[in-house]
Amino acid sequence: MSGDDTVHKVAIIGSGPAGLTAAIYASRAKLDPVCIEGGDITSKTDLPGGQLMLTTDVENFPGFPEGIMGPELMERFKQQAERFGTIFKQGRVAKADLSQRPFTLEIENQLMGTQETIKAQSIIVATGASAKYLGLEAEQKYLGHGVTTCATCDGAFFRDKHVVVVGGGDSAMEEANFLTRFASKVTVVHRRTEFRSSKIMHERALANEKIEWKLNRVVKDIVPDERFLKQLVLAGTNEDEGVEETLDIGPDGGLFVAIGHSPNSQIFGDQIEMHDTGYLKTDGATSRTSVEGVFAAGDIHDDHYRQAITASGAGCKAAIDCEKWLEAQGL
Ligand code: NAP
């Protein structure tokens, strides 16, 4: 374990739109922030930079009328934070001690196999959220072998194959549309007949002739073939309760799980007040958490808007709240 005696004024945990916007504002305010990037650079689905690293075209981030690819947008955020002096540390916070100030963070660098401890007077938590799974036993077994949560990462493996996307939100609609570039057929399996997704994304998917729909259905089981998947067992829901059917997707079909995300708040245990769902509680319209000197921004506390632009705005608020708090402490 390495580390030095430096006490940083602010440590930002996370490098998605919230963390990097906080880094831009904090570094321009001369707080010399250190940003622990998080994610795992050896992973395909949990990269530093957050969820936009797994997206293709971002069409709704203001300032890019032609759209921009998610990874490029995050690279630009990072360059802007670097320009004003943010120090980046690769790795993930494995442990956080918020019981006294300065706070202590243990960082694990998976690639280098190293550990480091840093200290900071204040923390901006921007650890975001990670993909949820269906909870089937076979799902984890075939993860990376037909089961995936990332169309951008794995879509190209399913050229001319039949794939299934589970979910009825924007992620499912986006993934289904994207996958039609490769797959011969995309079936969306959704547990209701109403859709949570925005109208425009749903309509785009409805207009896509390569997409078929299995509504009032959930995936009950997975049947593999030699490489990926052969069949899915679907069970009826709502008025179709009791129905069971087998969907042939082989040879080498895929299952894309797009059913939302859970907040990455586990490292804080019971040190910060959270909702039952694990999202951090913040004080009114501010980014203040229940721990003085700890601020939250982005998907870690927002289970409602969850957009890159709202996360970015929250990162700005957190940096300003943090700056004012440090000033009030005479730090
Ligand atoms: P979401 O809006 O929470 O939708 C999750 C979907 O998965 C829902 O339809 C839900 O069904 C279904 N689901 C959840 N658990 C399930 C389970 N165990 N079994 C079967 N189905 C299950 O999540 P999201 O689509 O990831 O979107 C999250 C946020 O990101 C939203 O605010 C969205 O607008 C945003 N987003 C935006 C874009 C874009 O603008 N380009 C792209 C992607 C995401 P029910 O509806 O029945 O609950």
Side-chain angles (χ1 to χ4, degrees):
M1 175 95 58
S2 72
D4 57 37
D5 297 335
T6 310
V7 176
H8 299 277
K9 285 198 199 78
V10 52
I12 297 164
I13 315 178
S15 58
L20 292 182
T21 304
I24 293 165
Y25 273 76
S27 50
R28 284 194 80 248
K30 302 277 177 225
L31 298 179
D32 304 321
V34 57
C35 176
I36 302 122
E37 292 188 78
D40 176 353
I41 58 169
T42 63
S43 144
K44 273 197 305 180
T45 54
D46 180 23
L47 291 163
Q51 293 174 49
L52 281 192
M53 296 301 286
L54 309 176
T55 328
T56 48
D57 298 308
V58 180
E59 293 179 333
N60 52 11
F61 201 89
F64 298 93
E66 313 300 333
I68 183 166
M69 299 302 271
E72 188 190 342
L73 181 60
M74 293 328 298
E75 183 52 36
R76 287 182 178 222
F77 269 67
K78 188 175 175 186
Q79 284 171 5
Q80 199 170 347
E82 271 170 339
R83 176 179 160 207
F84 297 109
T86 300
I87 305 153
F88 282 92
K89 284 194 185 286
Q90 220 171 64
R92 187 195 288 287
V93 173
K95 239 186 201 173
D97 181 357
L98 309 181
S99 61
Q100 55 178 9
R101 289 199 304 268
F103 304 119
T104 306
L105 299 175
E106 279 179 27
I107 307 166
E108 266 176 18
N109 184 319
Q110 309 90 338
L111 191 65
M112 309 300 286
T114 54
Q115 288 192 323
E116 182 185 358
T117 300
I118 66 161
K119 289 193 182 295
Q121 297 290 4
S122 65
I123 292 176
I124 296 174
V125 181
T127 47
S130 298
K132 277 188 194 162
Y133 291 95
L134 297 169
L136 303 172
E137 212 182 308
E139 190 179 29
Q140 294 304 316
K141 188 166 171 201
Y142 297 106
L143 200 60
H145 299 276
V147 179
T148 162
T149 59
C150 177
T152 320
C153 320
D154 298 327
F157 295 126
F158 297 89
R159 204 171 287 278
D160 300 324
K161 304 293 177 194
H162 182 179
V163 300
V164 166
V165 175
V166 184
D170 280 336
S171 297
M173 298 307 109
E174 187 173 71
E175 300 228 328
N177 267 315
F178 176 73
L179 286 165
T180 58
R181 295 188 198 181
F182 311 98
S184 54
K185 186 155 106 181
V186 176
T187 303
V188 174
V189 174
H190 179 39
R191 63 186 178 183
R192 295 191 291 153
T193 50
E194 299 79 29
F195 283 76
R196 196 177 287 275
S197 61
S198 55
K199 211 164 169 234
I200 186 171
M201 308 250 311
H202 185 205
E203 282 175 355
R204 206 176 283 172
L206 282 175
N208 192 323
E209 287 176 355
K210 273 183 154 185
I211 300 180
E212 290 188 352
W213 304 84
K214 287 278 181 192
L215 305 184
N216 279 342
R217 295 285 185 279
V218 289
V219 177
K220 192 178 161 198
D221 207 359
I222 294 169
V223 183
D225 60 17
E226 276 172 28
R227 279 183 5 128
F228 294 128
L229 307 183
K230 188 164 72 179
Q231 289 173 326
L232 296 178
V233 181
L234 305 184
T237 56
N238 305 317
E239 53 266 34
D240 290 345
E241 189 83 53
V243 171
E244 191 164 305
E245 63 178 317
T246 302
L247 183 66
D248 289 319
I249 56 169
D252 302 342
L255 172 63
F256 288 77
V257 181
I259 61 167
H261 292 81
S262 326
N264 297 318
S265 54
Q266 301 84 341
I267 48 164
F268 302 108
D270 57 5
Q271 299 182 89
I272 309 181
E273 276 182 28
M274 300 176 195
H275 297 280
D276 293 344
T277 48
Y279 286 89
L280 300 194
K281 288 187 180 173
T282 46
D283 182 9
T286 77
S287 61
R288 289 193 300 260
T289 70
S290 59
V291 180
E292 213 192 322
V294 178
F295 304 84
D299 285 12
I300 189 62
H301 82 107
D302 170 22
D303 66 347
H304 183 67
Y305 296 105
R306 299 181 294 184
Q307 303 297 303
I309 188 70
T310 51
S312 195
C316 159
K317 278 170 54 178
I320 292 174
D321 288 345
C322 183
E323 183 192 358
K324 296 264 181 295
W325 180 83
L326 286 165
E327 201 176 3
Q329 307 301 309
L331 297 165

